[in-house]
């Protein structure tokens, strides 16, 4: 399935990008049987059936306590234990290969100086929290044969994510040779250099070097994709309402995701796209296409992307 970037050759809309990726995300049919004590966060592959009655709950033996497709919550396990359930059949977590790239991060023997790689490492923590099973690789230098081997190695996973890439670089040429590029830019800011590809029916997400851009693209594209593979709903992020202390600038032609720091009921936009900016963000404000930002004093909705349940 090859989709042109857009009717006018420009970047894909975020909605189109999600559809393109989602077309390759069939719920994982591999299963595990796990004890109740480690079942929180897993998705049921079969109804969780009671083995004993639960007085006052209207649950009897052989009744379905929770149905297939439910993501088990901490509050669920008490009811399941009361119903005599000791283990559950759950879907295996989607497998994600994360491949960082960049000469500055590769080992000296691969032509790099061994710098500290953070984008892929941070992304691995997000993927684990979002329900994926991560394989985090060593960084790969900007060398076509090495990049080709790195991508092909992880095609046994459900999806592949490559960090540190931009339109026109060696990695994107390699991916285009291996498969099909269905989008080489997304109408979002930051993260507009994100690319989408498919290699051997595996979605490949190409994330930019920018720490903030990579985080935006991961939250907006990778998180929904993982939920599709897991066969569970995409829950909204917690939000709060705050008043902007300064104007928030945005491009009218794209969807903007602005990091902000929050103090009480006030939100202050953060400038920059570096690692410090990404780490300092207490939340994110979305400005839809067609709007050139928000004014100081305006009330906005702040999404907490780092919420820890």
């Amino acid at each position: 399935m090859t989709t042109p970037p857009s009717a006018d050759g420009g970047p894909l809309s975020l909605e189109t990008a999600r559809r393109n990726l989602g077309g390759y995300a069939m719920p994982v049919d591999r299963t595990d049987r796990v004890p109740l004590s480690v079942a929180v966060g897993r998705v049921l592959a079969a109804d969780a059936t009671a083995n004993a009655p639960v007085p006052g709950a209207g649950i009897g033996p052989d009744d379905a306590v929770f149905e297939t497709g439910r993501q088990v919550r901490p509050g669920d396990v008490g009811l399941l234990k009361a119903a005599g359930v000791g283990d559950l059949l759950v879907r295996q977590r989607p497998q994600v290969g994360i491949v960082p790239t960049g000469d500055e991060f590769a080992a000296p023997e691969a032509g790099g100086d061994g710098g500290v790689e953070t984008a892929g490492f941070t992304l691995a923590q997000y993927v684990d929290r979002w329900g994926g099973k991560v394989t985090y690789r060593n960084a790969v230098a900007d060398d076509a044969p090495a990049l080709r081997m790195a991508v092909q190695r992880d095609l046994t996973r459900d999806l592949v994510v490559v960090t540190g890439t931009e339109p026109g670089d060696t990695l994107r040429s390699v991916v285009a040779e291996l498969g099909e590029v269905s989008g080489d830019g997304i109408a979002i800011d930051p993260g507009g250099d994100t690319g989408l590809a498919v290699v051997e029916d595996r979605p490949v997400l190409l994330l930019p070097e920018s720490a903030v851009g990579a985080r935006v693209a991961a939250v907006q594209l990778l998180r929904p994709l993982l939920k599709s593979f897991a066969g569970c709903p995409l829950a909204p992020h917690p939000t709060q309402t705050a008043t902007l202390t300064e104007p928030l600038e945005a491009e009218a032609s794209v969807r903007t995701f602005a990091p902000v720091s929050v103090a009480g009921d006030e939100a202050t936009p953060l400038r920059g796209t570096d690692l410090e900016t990404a780490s300092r963000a207490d939340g994110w404000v979305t400005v839809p296409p067609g709007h050139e930002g928000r004014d100081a004093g305006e009330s906005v909705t702040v999404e907490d992307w780092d919420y820890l349940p």
Side-chain angles (χ1 to χ4, degrees):
M1 180 178 74
T2 304
T3 304
S6 71
D8 60 2
L12 296 173
S13 70
L14 181 58
E15 293 76 15
T16 298
R18 285 174 174 166
R19 285 197 302 270
N20 284 2
L21 283 172
Y24 291 90
M26 297 298 294
V28 173
D29 59 4
R30 305 180 301 271
T31 61
D32 289 320
R33 185 162 289 280
V34 300
L36 192 59
S37 59
V38 297
V40 172
R42 304 300 293 270
V43 178
L44 294 178
D47 291 351
T49 304
N51 295 316
V54 182
I59 295 174
D62 299 326
D63 287 346
V65 182
F66 297 113
E67 296 182 347
T68 303
R70 183 182 181 89
Q71 188 169 25
V72 180
R73 301 180 301 188
D76 296 341
V77 295
L79 180 59
L80 289 166
K81 184 175 182 180
V85 177
D87 55 37
L88 298 169
L89 187 68
V90 298
R91 292 195 181 110
Q92 288 188 5
R93 294 181 294 165
Q95 297 182 359
V96 184
I98 297 179
V99 183
T101 67
D103 290 342
E104 67 274 28
F105 304 129
E109 61 269 20
D113 59 14
V116 179
E117 194 286 314
T118 61
F121 180 77
T122 301
L123 180 62
Q125 316 314 307
Y126 275 103
V127 169
D128 180 74
R129 205 184 81 200
W130 293 336
K133 184 176 182 180
V134 180
T135 302
Y136 169 65
R137 301 293 189 179
N138 292 330
V140 182
D142 189 25
D143 171 75
L147 291 169
R148 184 178 294 106
M149 290 178 60
V151 173
Q152 290 176 318
R153 173 184 55 193
D154 277 342
L155 293 178
T156 55
R157 274 61 185 174
D158 295 302
L159 63 129
V160 182
V161 183
V162 185
T163 65
T165 174
E166 61 184 17
D169 67 5
T170 304
L171 183 278
R172 299 210 183 187
S173 297
V174 166
V175 171
E177 293 173 0
L178 292 173
E180 297 174 326
V181 175
S182 62
D184 207 21
I186 313 295
I188 57 175
D189 181 47
D193 286 344
T194 298
L196 312 179
V198 177
V199 179
E200 297 182 14
D201 290 330
R202 291 291 190 275
V204 180
L205 184 59
L206 311 172
L207 297 184
E209 181 178 355
S210 153
V212 174
R215 193 164 302 184
V216 168
V219 170
Q220 297 301 319
L221 293 167
L222 179 56
R223 181 173 176 262
L225 182 61
L226 280 171
K227 297 302 181 182
S228 294
F229 271 115
C232 65
L234 179 66
H237 290 103
T239 62
Q240 70 177 98
T241 301
T243 301
L244 286 174
T245 61
E246 301 174 9
L248 193 161
E249 299 177 355
E251 293 280 348
S253 61
V254 300
R255 186 178 301 273
T256 298
F257 298 94
V260 297
S261 62
V262 178
D265 59 356
E266 293 184 330
T268 301
L270 299 174
R271 317 298 178 189
T273 59
D274 57 9
L275 181 61
E276 181 184 6
T277 301
S279 298
R280 287 171 53 208
D282 295 314
W284 300 75
V285 175
T286 302
V287 182
H291 297 266
E292 295 183 348
R294 294 283 186 259
D295 297 327
E298 188 171 346
S299 180
V300 294
T301 298
V302 180
E303 291 187 333
D304 183 357
W305 290 359
D306 284 325
Y307 172 71
L308 293 175

